Amino acid sequence: GATFVAVAGGGILSMAMDPNDPNVVYADGFKTTDGGATWVEQGGGLGFSMAMDPTDSNIVYAADIEIQKTTDGGKTWRRFNEGLGDAQIFSLAINPFNPKVLFAGSVGDGAFKSVNGGRTWTPIDIDSSVWGLLVDPDDGDIVYAGSNGNGVYKSTDGGDTFARVGSPEVGVVFSIVKSGQRLYA
């Protein structure tokens, strides 16, 4: 059976696990380095979505209306919102092949892309609320965005352009995962 570990602080909206060390996990303002035996409260990192740099576990992003970033393993957090305007950010995705490229989804203001590790953001061509984001784990040029009532959008050019590929009848797409060749939304 599965083993579950309670996280200090109660309800958790998002988590990020170090792909190189499963003992390191960030969860809504808390961090463990011993597989969940103990949790340390951080001064930031609260969020609806989190993304960890796959090449440097000290770099973590958290989306909670705004975007926060730590480069020192959660000791300090800074806001990285240049180019987002008044957008309320609720989802994040990082390109595992180029961790300087990130995507952020918002409520009402579509999605945004950063090519410089979150320092600046530019809008991308989705005019819907974007709740779920996924950079294909097998191909960094393929990006999916789950929308509010407009189905799923897909990019095959690294997130520069998107086309709708899902039926709007699916309602709100909060999460997208890929297993093998199957996509689940």
Side-chain angles (χ1 to χ4, degrees), residues 25-50:
V25 180
Y26 293 82
D28 270 0
F30 292 87
K31 178 183 178 182
T32 182
T33 57
D34 57 14
T38 60
W39 293 87
V40 176
E41 190 169 0
Q42 303 179 106
L46 293 167
F48 294 101
S49 180
M50 298 183 85

Side-chain angles (χ1 to χ4, degrees), residues 9 12 23 43 49 52 56 60-61 63 84 90 92 99 112-113 121 127 142 152 159 170 181:
I12 298 299
N23 290 311
S49 180
M52 182 182 288
D56 184 346
V60 182
Y61 302 85
L84 296 175
F90 285 91
L92 288 172
F112 298 83
K113 179 179 180 181
W121 297 88
D127 65 354
I142 299 175
V152 176
V170 298
Q181 295 303 309

Side-chain angles (χ1 to χ4, degrees), residues 80-113:
F80 279 78
N81 298 298
E82 186 177 328
L84 296 175
D86 293 331
Q88 296 181 0
I89 305 301
F90 285 91
S91 58
L92 288 172
I94 192 166
N95 185 327
F97 302 97
N98 182 357
K100 296 281 186 205
V101 176
L102 293 111
F103 298 90
S106 76
V107 175
D109 291 306
F112 298 83
K113 179 179 180 181

Side-chain angles (χ1 to χ4, degrees), residues 103 111-113 124-126 133-134 142-145 152-165:
F103 298 90
F112 298 83
K113 179 179 180 181
I124 52 182
D125 65 342
I126 299 174
L133 288 163
L134 173 70
I142 299 175
V143 183
Y144 298 95
V152 176
Y153 291 82
K154 179 181 181 181
S155 171
T156 58
D157 59 9
D160 291 331
T161 60
F162 283 81
R164 192 172 61 183
V165 295

